[in-house]
Amino acid sequence: PLMLGGDVITYPLMSQPLATSDVSLRWEESKIPSSYIAANGPCRIAAIGRDRGRSIAVASSRGLCILDLSRTSWQASDVERNETIPCVKNDSDTGTSASQLTPLCPQWKLFSNINDEQQFGVVSFIWWESSSDDFILAVVEYV
């Protein structure tokens, strides 16, 4: 389940896919990009992958945007101690290894051309997940 409120989405963050028996869960919030809301209005619907939860899509009256959670990580022991861990972004130019940069922040992905996004409204969508990729199937209405 997801909670959509104004310019924020609250979602479950899983330590591992649900297919495993040792899954930890915590709730996170992410602010939906203000540029998306300004151009398209408040979000009306949202969907998350059911098994792995690596991606979230939200849609307003026009277009959609995606929150990529695939590179987000956290340790169950940190949750038990109630610690907040800052997000770190990977900078390939610094030569820092990925193991030194966890956890990584979720990233919003938007259309690069707002005119393309303004041409359709999402009626419904669902995520299809494979072991390596997520795909979104959306029913759209061209306006």
Side-chain angles (χ1 to χ4, degrees), residues 71 87-105 107:
R71 297 184 49 199
C87 291
V88 179
K89 295 194 177 181
N90 188 2
D91 183 0
S92 58
D93 295 334
T94 64
T96 310
S97 73
S99 64
Q100 296 170 317
L101 297 176
T102 56
L104 297 168
C105 295
Q107 293 183 340

Side-chain angles (χ1 to χ4, degrees), residues 1-4 8-11 32-33 36 43-50 53-60 62-69 107-111 117 120 122 124-129 134-139:
L2 299 170
M3 292 183 283
L4 209 61
V8 174
I9 187 159
T10 304
Y11 59 91
I32 299 165
Y36 175 79
C43 294
R44 298 180 300 138
I45 58 174
I48 187 171
R50 293 184 185 262
R54 293 183 298 219
S55 301
I56 296 172
V58 297
S60 297
R62 305 268 172 102
L64 66 92
C65 63
I66 295 172
L67 180 60
D68 180 5
L69 302 170
Q107 293 183 340
W108 283 99
K109 296 182 178 184
L110 306 172
F111 274 74
E117 186 173 51
F120 68 91
V122 176
S124 180
F125 46 47
I126 189 168
W127 284 102
W128 286 355
E129 301 173 314
D134 295 346
F135 304 93
I136 190 165
L137 175 63
V139 176

Side-chain angles (χ1 to χ4, degrees), residues 39-40 62-63 110-121 142-143:
N40 301 298
R62 305 268 172 102
L110 306 172
F111 274 74
S112 59
N113 183 339
I114 195 166
N115 293 327
D116 290 343
E117 186 173 51
Q118 294 291 308
Q119 294 179 13
F120 68 91
Y142 285 94
V143 291

